[in-house]
Amino acid sequence: MALAAFASDVPVPAAAPACAHCGAAVPAGGGRFCCTGCEAARAVIDGLGLDQFYRRRTLDARARPLTPDRERPDLAPHVRTLGDGTSTLELFVDGLTCPACMWLIESVLALVPDVTQARINLGARRLRLAWRGPAERAPEIAEHVLRLGFRLVPFDPATIATAASAEESELLKALAIAGFAAGNVMLLSVSIWSGHAVGMGGATRDLLHWVSALIALPAIAYAGLPFFRSALAALAAGRTNMDVPISIGVTLAAGMSLFETFRSGPHAYFDSAITLLFFLLIGRYLDRRARGRAREAAQQLVMLAARMVTVVAADGSTALRAAGSVPVGATVLVAAGERIGVDGEVVAGRSDLDRSLVSGESVPVPVAPGALVHAGTMNLTAPVTLRVTAAGEGTLLAEIVRLVDAAECGRGRFMVLADRVARLYAPVVHLAALGTFLGWVLFSAMAWQDALMIAVAVLIITCPCALGLAVPVVQVVATGRLLRRGVLVKSATALERLAAVDMVVFDKTGTLTSGAPSLRDAAAHPPELLARAAGLARASRHPLARALAAAAPQAPLAEGTIEHPGQGLSLATPAGEIRLGSRAFCGIAADDGDGALEMWFRGADGAAARFVFTDALRDDAAEVVAALKRNGFDVALLSGDRASAVASAAEAAGIAQHAAGVTPAEKVRRLEELRAAGRRVLMVGDGLNDAPALAAAHVSMSPASAVDIAQSAADVVFQGTRLAAVADTLLTARRADRLVRENLVLAIGYNVLAVPLAMAGFVTPLVAAAAMSSSSLIVIANALRLGTRGPAR
């Protein structure tokens, strides 16, 4: 049996290095992997390592080149080379149908020298490759997959969407033909059953059997093509997949029926064969549609980026170019109603942008010259001209896709468990069916034909699809839901760790608060005074000056204003000099004061006015903290800010536990103390000083406004100005964890109940087909419940 080593056991010593595939202990001499399931190199077949077996059966090009040159895609132009010399490539894998196929490809590629990453997204059927070396090695590496019987093409979302639509159309046609044939053959079978009760003659019965064969056999030959092609490709490459036992079951039922018809036997099973195929096609079609619904939202974003943009030349002429080929510094014109294809800075024009697909914010955002815009956003109201700052793989949109794809392709502990069980499928199901057939034939008086039908039922009903889908479909739905709400899950295990959180610790500045100061009690200042001060403030980019200018948006810029770095602004007027800035700069006597953020204005007559600023809480901070408490989370605030500011923010947000003046090292120490006490802490922070705490926490989140190092350390990044993403992410993770456990119970329970019933002869092939298809659909439908709920509260 091909790849029978999937079922072999490898003893694992207690003290051993971690497996590169699943993290379990590696057996002595096992190299990088723990068992034959995790390392395609060491599956034991007749005493050979799988690397030797695989090379002998599929990889030795001198023995049998499986892929003609004319069918090999030209991959080198699609390779992206990174700054460190690593080459990356994304490929669409045609013929990928089950988790066992995914495991086999990843395991074989792990053997290839210099390959540093080989990860498959089963929902999108995308293979992401990375290797150390030049782009010219792409065909050589791809050949390892081609020789397994799969077809590879460069990953292009638009082309692949068309191919997926064509595949669904083919399944629908096959389903229609199988349904038509099954209905007619069933009518003939009813006639045979009725005639048997009233003494129908053998000649009439044989005629009806032959008519059934003439209808059923051509229909089986056509409608079974999706299964037969996949099974033959797998067998030709020396492996098996889930379509092999399905094809065997359908072929055995049809072949035995034809044999019985030739010998004028009393029983034929054409109705069972074609109806079995009909049920299987229903399941396959619905499964494909359901997987399409669950497919990651990131793939939709990729399609947004795959577009043309209008480039403006130096002479004013325009030309359409692919977004990925536009150089940094080029000028791009974006018309109203057009989606932006590059990252850039607005240099001319004012408009409103719909950023919902990138940030999750539903309210359009106004932009003016100087504003930064990102690929994937929609220009709503007027044309704007951009100077390109990033294009193609360098855009924020591309980074979002990479982050989400990494999370979806990752392997958490539940996915590792499901993969280990699913990979045993091929040898176990064939042995179970063979054992069932021999048991009924050798130890009972049952006719071999009936025993064969029981074995067919066992072949059909024992399918690992439900188990293989139990975890990844929930992961895809959860990450897609969060992405639509502006939350990027970067780590493969973040959702599992978020589900275990029982305490949330916030940083203050820029996290619990907006991070942008605002003028307190602007209405308390005389309008003329506020306007004069704001006119000076417009000449500076200091955060306090910008906050003051924002408080009087109609105040014009005071021409001739001079900025004194680190001190303030001054303006010479006929009446004398006026100043805006620090207490000392404005000649105000030193005072301990209340420690608030302040700017002083001194008029030409020497009169002084104080402007006090606050870093206001995010609009929904108090609401989110209350929601977290209602759902059983403890909430704390750790900040390096002044005690008065921290206490004020904590009181406004409703947080009882808070500490001020906390250094980065002290934050880490406090998190370690909480961990030692058994707490699972989510740390939410945005500053450079938060990066160590984010890395030390059980799991971490950062707003998109965070500094780069904080975003790099965080497991999750959320867009927008609201904290609701924190509560929504935590509750989504809890629901996802619950759904994963439910799916595992459903999938394992199905096999525990269904397989013994089938082996005992209580399940017909028709019921087996319906049960097998239903198990996968139930698991997918259960996961999709997560995507239909509103925001978590």
Side-chain angles (χ1 to χ4, degrees):
M1 182 178 301
L3 300 183
F6 288 8
S8 64
D9 290 323
V10 178
V12 180
C19 172
H21 184 69
C22 71
V26 177
R32 298 168 55 202
F33 299 94
C34 66
C35 64
T36 56
C38 287
E39 55 164 356
R42 295 191 67 252
V44 180
I45 298 178
D46 297 330
L48 296 174
L50 182 58
D51 53 345
Q52 295 174 322
F53 168 78
Y54 174 67
R55 189 161 52 247
R56 178 177 298 179
R57 294 285 300 276
T58 62
L59 282 185
D60 191 350
R62 294 170 297 181
R64 51 169 182 155
L66 297 179
T67 312
D69 289 340
R70 65 179 180 277
E71 296 180 11
R72 294 175 181 167
D74 184 14
L75 301 178
H78 302 277
V79 176
R80 186 167 63 97
T81 302
L82 305 181
D84 61 357
T86 299
S87 298
T88 64
L89 176 64
E90 290 187 352
L91 298 169
F92 177 79
V93 186
D94 190 21
L96 188 69
T97 58
C98 65
C101 303
M102 178 176 69
W103 164 81
L104 180 61
I105 293 173
E106 290 181 350
S107 298
V108 167
L109 288 173
L111 300 169
V112 181
D114 297 326
V115 171
T116 58
Q117 183 189 47
R119 277 285 179 258
I120 290 178
N121 186 309
L122 186 58
R125 290 184 284 177
R126 176 172 62 234
L127 168 62
R128 186 184 294 275
L129 277 171
W131 66 92
R132 292 185 296 270
E136 288 71 24
R137 286 201 61 194
E140 170 203 339
I141 295 172
E143 186 69 16
H144 293 265
V145 181
L146 295 171
R147 291 183 180 282
L148 288 171
F150 298 96
R151 181 171 171 264
L152 298 176
V153 294
F155 189 85
D156 174 53
T159 303
I160 291 165
T162 302
S165 177
E167 189 175 351
E168 283 190 9
S169 177
E170 181 186 8
L171 283 173
L172 193 59
K173 290 177 184 177
L175 176 62
I177 290 175
F180 175 81
N184 283 279
V185 173
M186 192 60 70
L187 289 176
L188 293 170
S189 297
V190 170
S191 301
I192 295 173
W193 301 334
S194 301
H196 179 75
V198 296
M200 175 189 290
T204 304
R205 181 195 63 216
D206 290 347
L207 176 63
L208 293 177
H209 279 165
W210 278 111
V211 174
S212 297
L214 290 174
I215 297 173
L217 293 179
I220 290 172
Y222 178 82
L225 281 177
F227 303 101
F228 300 154
R229 279 199 299 258
S230 174
L232 288 174
L235 293 174
R239 62 182 182 87
T240 61
N241 61 14
M242 62 170 288
D243 289 332
V244 171
I246 288 175
S247 300
I248 292 174
V250 172
T251 303
L252 284 177
M256 187 179 66
S257 300
L258 188 61
F259 173 78
E260 288 295 298
T261 301
F262 269 114
R263 61 185 292 270
S264 297
H267 301 293
Y269 303 93
F270 293 113
D271 54 347
S272 295
I274 188 61
T275 309
L276 168 64
L277 193 58
F278 177 60
F279 277 121
L280 291 170
L281 284 167
I282 290 176
R284 179 64 59 87
Y285 179 75
L286 294 178
D287 176 76
R288 189 59 51 83
R289 292 298 300 271
R291 288 197 200 193
R293 280 192 60 196
R295 193 161 295 156
E296 75 279 25
Q299 184 173 335
Q300 300 174 21
L301 292 177
V302 173
M303 297 182 69
L304 295 179
R307 57 185 301 104
M308 307 294 286
V309 297
T310 303
V311 179
V312 182
D315 60 1
S317 62
T318 60
L320 287 177
R321 292 184 61 177
S325 65
V326 178
V328 172
T331 302
V332 170
L333 176 65
V334 183
E338 184 179 356
R339 195 170 296 280
I340 298 174
V342 296
D343 286 0
E345 179 183 353
V346 177
V347 295
R350 295 175 181 270
S351 185
D352 296 288
L353 300 185
D354 177 0
R355 303 181 69 244
S356 58
L357 287 173
V358 174
S359 68
E361 292 284 341
S362 59
V363 178
V365 177
V367 294
L372 297 177
V373 299
H374 300 290
T377 55
M378 177 71 76
N379 182 26
L380 298 177
T381 54
V384 292
T385 303
L386 313 177
R387 183 176 66 251
V388 178
T389 57
E393 291 296 321
T395 62
L396 172 67
L397 183 63
E399 179 64 18
I400 290 174
V401 172
R402 286 192 290 271
L403 291 175
V404 176
D405 185 61
E408 289 182 346
C409 294
R411 303 289 194 269
R413 70 181 191 278
F414 287 127
M415 192 173 292
V416 170
L417 171 64
D419 284 353
R420 282 187 167 184
V421 176
R423 74 170 62 113
L424 300 176
Y425 163 68
V428 170
V429 66
H430 292 105
L431 290 173
L434 178 61
T436 299
F437 174 73
L438 294 177
W440 281 106
V441 170
L442 298 177
F443 302 107
S444 74
M446 180 179 289
W448 69 269
Q449 295 93 332
D450 294 332
L452 188 60
M453 294 305 291
I454 294 176
V456 168
V458 173
L459 280 174
I460 300 300
I461 208 167
T462 50
C463 175
C465 284
L467 185 60
L469 290 169
V471 182
V473 73
V474 175
Q475 197 165 344
V476 167
V477 172
T479 53
R481 169 198 163 98
L482 291 174
L483 180 61
R484 288 191 296 273
R485 299 186 183 281
V487 179
L488 309 180
V489 181
K490 295 168 53 182
S491 168
T493 61
L495 286 175
E496 290 182 8
R497 287 182 282 135
L498 283 164
V501 166
D502 57 13
M503 184 175 186
V504 181
V505 174
F506 287 101
D507 173 52
K508 185 183 78 71
T509 305
T511 303
L512 198 63
T513 66
S514 63
S518 59
L519 180 63
R520 181 197 298 173
D521 298 329
H525 298 282
E528 291 183 5
L529 173 64
L530 182 61
R532 294 197 68 182
L536 268 71
R538 290 195 183 283
S540 174
R541 295 187 62 83
H542 188 280
L544 296 185
R546 297 177 71 176
L548 180 57
Q554 303 304 321
L557 170 67
E559 298 290 344
T561 300
I562 300 173
E563 183 166 13
H564 306 269
Q567 300 179 71
L569 303 136
S570 66
L571 174 66
T573 69
E577 186 183 55
I578 60 176
R579 290 190 172 193
L580 175 70
S582 67
R583 178 185 293 266
F585 181 66
C586 294
I588 310 299
D591 183 3
D592 292 340
D594 54 10
L597 296 172
E598 64 179 12
M599 289 187 81
W600 284 83
F601 176 81
R602 194 193 69 185
D605 58 359
R610 183 188 187 215
F611 296 100
V612 179
F613 300 86
T614 60
D615 188 5
L617 292 179
R618 292 181 185 253
D619 294 340
D620 61 342
E623 178 186 348
V624 169
V625 169
L628 291 172
K629 291 180 178 179
R630 284 197 305 271
N631 285 280
F633 297 100
D634 289 334
V635 182
L637 174 61
L638 295 180
S639 175
D641 207 346
R642 295 165 290 110
S644 58
V646 173
S648 176
E651 181 180 2
I655 301 175
Q657 304 179 57
H658 58 85
V662 183
T663 66
E666 289 174 342
K667 286 184 180 181
V668 172
R669 181 178 57 79
R670 295 196 181 208
L671 291 175
E672 290 176 346
E673 291 174 354
L674 289 171
R675 175 177 294 176
R679 308 306 299 269
R680 297 289 182 266
V681 178
L682 165 64
M683 178 68 197
V684 187
D686 79 319
L688 181 64
N689 63 325
D690 295 318
L694 293 171
H698 181 67
V699 64
S700 54
M701 293 182 69
S702 283
S705 58
V707 298
D708 290 344
I709 190 171
Q711 289 194 35
S712 298
D715 299 298
V716 180
V717 176
F718 61 93
Q719 306 274 347
T721 60
R722 299 174 63 83
L723 276 180
V726 175
D728 195 27
T729 301
L730 283 170
L731 297 185
T732 296
R734 281 189 174 182
R735 292 171 183 166
D737 184 73
R738 183 167 62 249
L739 289 174
V740 164
R741 295 175 188 273
E742 290 174 1
N743 278 354
L744 288 174
V745 170
L746 288 170
I748 295 174
Y750 158 77
N751 284 283
V752 169
L753 293 174
V755 175
L757 290 175
M759 297 179 72
F762 294 113
V763 178
T764 66
L766 298 184
V767 175
M772 184 270 285
S773 300
S774 299
S775 66
S776 297
L777 294 175
I778 289 172
V779 164
I780 295 174
N782 190 46
L784 289 175
R785 291 193 299 128
L786 180 64
T788 59
R789 299 194 180 189
R793 288 289 182 266

